[in-house]
Every structure is written in structure tokens, then in C-alpha cells.
């Protein structure tokens, strides 16, 4: 069992909050953003309860390992609506975060403005996106998009309007191919 420090907060819809952990030799800043655009468009101001933990052994919440042997954990209800970044004062750089899952999932086609597919490729590189359903052997959708910066990460952003007439409710497999990689996701679509 190691030493941990915790910070809790109550941020609101579409808010950005900054939290700092002051270490012996450095300061870790956590930047936490709520990206729930569909809820904000309904003018719902919701307060969320979040927990950030930093320590040598963080348990029971999703964690990220830091280079100095510490772990930072972030916990909030409906984690897919949140983006977090961590910056060390000594290097003034982000601590790399592992690639996130597709967002939102489930994808509410009538409410969400876009489907964000996380990738590691350079900004503006071309990506070919295919969408397959379990019941269709052939693809139900395919198009080309550029990789964009979104919420501090690199994503292929597929507008909902592009999918509106092609997808019904169900489970879909999405494949994105770039010059460097191939990515695969499973997404629940709700019309």
C-alpha cells in the first residue's frame, strides 16, 4: 500500500477545471474538461462529482502511469463525456495519455453532432472510414476524412449528418485506415 493524495470536485457541463498536485520536486496540473455537447445543447446544467488521485498505488479507478513511478487516477460518472490532460511544471509538457475509445458510445445519432474516432496519426492526414453491421457482410458506409485536433487529441471526426440516412439502430464495426495504421472499434448506434 502506497501513499496517495486525492482531490474531489464538482464541475458542470461544458466546463474546464484545473487541479494541482504539489510534489517535492515538481507540480502536476490536471486539466479536466466536460465535453457533453448534446446535454449542453438541451440547456441542462448538471454538476458532476469527480475524483483525482495521485500516488504510488492508485486502486479501483482508471489510472495512468507517470514516468517517475507515480500513478494518476481519474473517476467520474459517464467517463466518455470527459477529457483529461496532465502537465508537469518542470517540463511544461503533457504526460502522454493512452489512446481513448470512440466517443460517444453509444452513439445517439439524433442528438450527437459527430462521432469522434481516436487515432495516433498526424493532423490533416487522410483516413478512409468503413462502417459494417453484424447483419451486412458488405459495408453500410464509407468515406474519407482528415485527422483533426479535438479536445486535446487526434481524432477522425465523422459528422452525424453523414451517417443519418445510412445507419439504423444496432451494433456496428468501424474501421479507419490511414497511411500508417488501421484502427477498429465496435459502436452501438441508437437512432
Amino acid at each position: 500500500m502506497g501513499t496517495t493524495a486525492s482531490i474531489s470536485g464538482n464541475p458542470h457541463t461544458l466546463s474546464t477545471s484545473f487541479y494541482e498536485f504539489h510534489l517535492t520536486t515538481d507540480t502536476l496540473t490536471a486539466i479536466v474538461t466536460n465535453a457533453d455537447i448534446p446535454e449542453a445543447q438541451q440547456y441542462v446544467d448538471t454538476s458532476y462529482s469527480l475524483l483525482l488521485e495521485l500516488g504510488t498505488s492508485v486502486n479501483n479507478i482508471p489510472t495512468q502511469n507517470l514516468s517517475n513511478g507515480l500513478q494518476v487516477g481519474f473517476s467520474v460518472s459517464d467517463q466518455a463525456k470527459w477529457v483529461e490532460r496532465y502537465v508537469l511544471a518542470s517540463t511544461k509538457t503533457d504526460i502522454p495519455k493512452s489512446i481513448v475509445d470512440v466517443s460517444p458510445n453509444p452513439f445517439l445519432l439524433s442528438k450527437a453532432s459527430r462521432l469522434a474516432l481516436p487515432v495516433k496519426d498526424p493532423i490533416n492526414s487522410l483516413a478512409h472510414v468503413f462502417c459494417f453491421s453484424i447483419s451486412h457482410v458488405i459495408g453500410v458506409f464509407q468515406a474519407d476524412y482528415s485527422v483533426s485536433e479535438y479536445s486535446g487529441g487526434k481524432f477522425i471526426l465523422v459528422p452525424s449528418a453523414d451517417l443519418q440516412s445510412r445507419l439504423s439502430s444496432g451494433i456496428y464495426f468501424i474501421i479507419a485506415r490511414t497511411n500508417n495504421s488501421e484502427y477498429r472499434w465496435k459502436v452501438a448506434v441508437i437512432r
Side-chain angles (χ1 to χ4, degrees):
M1 192 96 187
T3 304
T4 61
S6 300
I7 297 176
S8 59
N10 295 97
H12 293 267
T13 307
L14 287 190
S15 66
T16 298
S17 304
F18 299 85
Y19 303 94
E20 287 190 347
F21 291 96
H22 296 279
L23 311 170
T24 307
T25 58
D26 210 346
T27 299
L28 174 73
T29 302
I31 305 163
V32 179
T33 302
N34 176 274
D36 188 3
I37 294 170
E39 187 167 315
Q41 289 172 337
Q42 296 175 21
Y43 302 103
V44 176
D45 186 21
T46 305
S47 176
Y48 297 88
S49 179
L50 68 79
L51 174 67
L52 282 161
E53 284 191 13
L54 177 73
T56 54
S57 179
V58 176
N59 298 316
N60 302 322
I61 62 174
T63 61
Q64 180 177 335
N65 294 324
L66 307 182
S67 58
N68 57 5
L70 294 175
Q71 293 179 324
V72 62
F74 175 67
S75 176
V76 67
S77 65
D78 208 348
Q79 192 124 11
K81 296 177 182 178
W82 296 84
V83 177
E84 73 271 11
R85 291 177 92 167
Y86 305 102
V87 179
L88 286 171
S90 61
T91 59
K92 296 185 173 109
T93 58
D94 288 356
I95 296 168
K97 185 174 192 276
S98 57
I99 200 159
V100 296
D101 199 4
V102 63
S103 172
N105 194 3
F107 181 47
L108 301 174
L109 197 52
S110 62
K111 293 191 179 198
S113 61
R114 50 84 197 117
L115 182 64
L117 306 171
V119 295
K120 296 180 181 178
D121 293 82
I123 301 296
N124 294 324
S125 59
L126 187 64
H128 192 71
V129 176
F130 303 89
C131 186
F132 300 90
S133 74
I134 294 171
S135 60
H136 294 88
V137 177
I138 58 170
V140 294
F141 173 78
Q142 62 181 347
D144 292 328
Y145 298 95
S146 294
V147 175
S148 306
E149 184 170 351
Y150 174 73
S151 295
K154 297 175 188 175
F155 291 84
I156 302 165
L157 300 176
V158 180
S160 294
D162 291 2
L163 303 170
Q164 203 56 257
S165 65
R166 297 194 170 133
L167 303 183
S168 58
S169 293
I171 303 295
Y172 291 86
F173 297 97
I174 298 176
I175 299 172
R177 288 190 183 129
T178 64
N179 285 340
N180 302 326
S181 305
E182 182 174 290
Y183 304 90
R184 297 169 186 258
W185 302 276
K186 186 166 96 174
V187 179
V189 173
I190 301 171
R191 284 197 66 81

